[in-house]
Amino acid sequence: MTDDTIIPDEDFSGDDVLAAEYSLGLLEAEEMVQVARRARIDLEFGALVEQWQDHFSALTNEVEPVAPPKNLFKKIASEAYPDSPKRIWHQLGVLPALLGAGAAALVLILALQFGVVNPPEPTVATYAARIAAEDDSLVVQAAYVNDTGTLFVERQAGSGVAERSHELWLIAGDDAPLSLGVLAADGSLDEITIPAALRDRLEGATLAITDEPLGGSPTGVATGAILAAGLITVL
Amino acid sequence: MHHIKARRKGKGCNVWLALVRDYVILRSHEEIALMTSVQDIEKMILRVALQDRKAFEALYSATSAKLFGIILRVLKDRAAAEDVLQDVYLRLWQGGAGTFTSGTASPISWLATVARNRAIDRLRQLKPSRPLSDAPEIADAKPGPEALVMAASDRAQIHACLEELVPDRAAAVRGAYLDGDTYADLAARFGVPLNTMRTWLRRSLLSLKDCLNR
């Protein structure tokens, strides 16, 4: 028999062929979704699919492993673990602020609607600032939560210099810059408690970062170059 | 102490630290490769379901290269493959690992299936609407060791059964599974009309089924 012969009693309508075609991914998109649903509801059919998938999965033995990029697990962990900086930014609805304030507001609304933000204690940022160098060689994201008086700060781009520190300053109105502290050397998330007396002065003020000796300016006055600055905006 | 401090200054220290780090990572990979058996992977998946971060990292170390290879083979695009790999592990962490029924399939083939199916979904631009695994939502009774051995021999069986097919047909099945080829892709590759391809492949699948049931 040649393969082209049509065999009269050939029947491809059985579940076996359907389960196999589904397992191979040969069905059209719509059918794919329907069959996926059936596999979950129809125990017998689901078992067929599972059998096929189990058989076919052995074919992956012939695929050479490829090491994924080294930093990928860190990325996964930062999405997965609730206390990771990325999740905190998400919960604050601030991360998208990098894309523009409009998008941030939209995402915040979406986040609230779909319950991404923890419902019991909705930590919502009141203000945000993108503290950036002119050429974006240093970008630090800041978000302020009014309820707790906490300013979250994390470096998104750029790096520090060995034996030097990045110091954060609040410049409100015509007042002299006030130090808010030295940022973490590795750029990881910092939580800074803003003194009660300063909280009213944040709106419309500027946050700036200067290059200072290790541990920060010894005099309480900025001594080094201004590396980055950004306006505090209301979310 | 002085020389350490000197090293910390300037660029040299970064290179040195990176070397130390790579060495440590390499060592831990080696150990994991040596130590992980099928049972270990299974334990890791079960622990990941309980939100054990160490197990999650260990599972990633032990299995990510295999899964990345599978996904990359389907998608043939590194950025997209990284994305899907990330999605697979994230979903495992976010409850997916809990849908693994220990003992039914080998944990490695389960992970391979999950990764491969996600890659296909991406290739077809399907929304990931299907759950992580297609198994019916009722847990089976846990099979004993014999069943596990059976499952292992099952997996070798597909190779033997593909051997029984005309080589082109076996290549078509492999192409569909490993490269995510559609009927149209396969028809073009083997230079036959779409319907002929469909008939060929379905016939091959029935032959495979006969062989696998033997």
Side-chain angles (χ1 to χ4, degrees):
Chain A
M1 154 197 130
T2 72
D3 288 298
D4 298 328
T5 2
I6 300 298
I7 305 166
D9 60 351
E10 221 170 14
D11 180 14
F12 297 136
S13 64
D15 278 350
D16 258 329
V17 172
L18 184 67
E21 281 184 302
Y22 168 70
S23 301
L24 288 176
L26 287 168
L27 303 175
E28 300 296 324
E30 211 170 296
E31 212 181 353
M32 197 85 176
V33 174
Q34 280 171 10
V35 174
R37 195 171 306 139
R38 190 176 154 205
R40 261 174 291 154
I41 300 165
D42 180 342
L43 279 186
E44 220 170 298
F45 183 71
L48 271 183
V49 168
E50 214 181 0
Q51 268 172 31
W52 275 114
Q53 289 188 339
D54 201 28
H55 281 305
F56 286 137
S57 72
L59 296 178
T60 63
N61 291 344
E62 61 199 69
V63 179
E64 281 299 313
V66 181
K70 273 189 183 156
N71 60 351
L72 201 67
F73 185 76
K74 229 177 141 186
K75 269 190 179 169
I76 293 167
S78 78
E79 293 254 2
Y81 304 152
D83 50 2
S84 70
K86 197 164 178 201
R87 275 290 288 272
I88 290 173
W89 290 118
H90 264 295
Q91 284 177 1
L92 292 173
V94 168
L95 191 67
L98 287 167
L99 307 170
L106 182 67
V107 169
L108 185 59
I109 291 167
L110 290 176
L112 287 169
Q113 229 153 33
F114 292 104
V116 177
V117 174
N118 279 349
E121 276 177 45
T123 326
V124 176
T126 336
Y127 304 128
R130 182 177 186 272
I131 312 161
E134 261 177 64
D135 59 357
D136 277 354
S137 57
L138 175 66
V139 179
V140 172
Q141 182 67 47
Y144 176 71
V145 178
N146 201 28
D147 302 344
T148 54
T150 315
L151 184 71
F152 293 90
V153 185
E154 189 190 32
R155 191 163 71 215
Q156 313 270 336
S159 57
V161 177
E163 310 290 324
R164 302 287 292 175
S165 288
H166 284 168
E167 191 159 0
L168 182 67
W169 303 87
L170 175 72
I171 308 169
D174 295 330
D175 294 358
L178 271 168
S179 173
L180 295 178
V182 170
L183 302 184
D186 62 354
S188 59
L189 189 78
D190 268 319
E191 282 182 43
I192 300 166
T193 305
I194 302 293
L198 286 180
R199 291 179 190 175
D200 289 342
R201 312 219 48 200
L202 292 174
E203 194 176 333
T206 298
L207 289 173
I209 292 167
T210 60
D211 169 54
E212 299 293 340
L214 201 60
S217 161
T219 60
V221 177
T223 60
I226 296 180
L227 301 175
L231 262 183
I232 299 174
T233 52
V234 180
L235 278 178
Chain B
M1 210 46 212
H2 275 296
H3 67 278
I4 289 177
K5 201 162 183 202
R7 261 182 166 157
R8 286 225 169 116
K9 274 185 189 164
K11 238 184 168 176
C13 97
N14 288 338
V15 174
W16 180 72
L17 279 179
L19 279 175
V20 171
R21 193 198 51 210
D22 286 354
Y23 176 73
V24 171
I25 290 172
L26 202 70
R27 279 296 302 275
S28 62
H29 274 265
E30 266 172 15
E31 275 165 28
I32 283 163
L34 285 175
M35 284 170 52
T36 38
S37 65
V38 171
Q39 282 90 341
D40 288 332
I41 303 274
E42 187 168 316
K43 266 185 217 146
M44 285 177 199
I45 295 175
L46 298 176
R47 295 219 55 90
V48 167
L50 300 171
Q51 304 285 286
D52 178 333
R53 292 183 184 190
K54 263 197 180 151
F56 188 42
E57 193 158 354
L59 181 69
Y60 181 85
S61 296
T63 56
S64 59
K66 180 175 171 71
L67 301 196
F68 193 51
I70 293 168
I71 295 167
L72 200 57
R73 171 81 178 259
V74 171
L75 291 172
K76 296 166 179 65
D77 175 292
R78 263 194 102 89
E82 282 172 25
D83 224 41
V84 169
L85 188 71
Q86 205 175 332
D87 181 60
V88 164
Y89 282 97
L90 207 53
R91 279 164 183 277
L92 283 173
W93 178 257
Q94 291 166 345
T99 64
F100 171 71
T101 339
S102 86
T104 50
S106 123
I108 296 161
S109 75
W110 183 75
L111 288 171
T113 303
V114 164
R116 184 266 175 194
N117 286 352
R118 285 285 148 189
I120 293 287
D121 285 352
R122 168 62 70 95
L123 191 69
R124 309 266 190 272
Q125 297 294 332
L126 285 176
K127 274 189 212 147
S129 57
R130 47 172 155 169
L132 213 50
S133 67
D134 285 309
E137 286 169 341
I138 290 176
D140 290 344
K142 189 174 170 164
E146 317 91 277
L148 283 176
V149 174
M150 284 287 290
S153 68
D154 270 0
R155 278 185 294 281
Q157 226 184 328
I158 187 90
H159 292 285
C161 289
L162 280 172
E163 295 269 298
E164 290 185 11
L165 297 178
V166 181
D168 270 5
R169 307 300 136 79
V173 173
R174 282 201 169 86
Y177 190 78
L178 295 175
D179 297 292
D181 289 344
T182 61
Y183 274 130
D185 296 332
L186 294 170
R189 189 165 131 203
F190 294 100
V192 294
L194 189 62
N195 278 331
T196 308
M197 190 68 239
R198 217 174 247 136
T199 307
W200 279 6
L201 205 109
R202 287 174 174 170
R203 200 177 284 160
S204 304
L205 292 172
L206 284 180
S207 310
L208 267 183
K209 183 73 189 176
D210 280 344
C211 173
L212 292 168
N213 281 346
R214 238 179 266 152

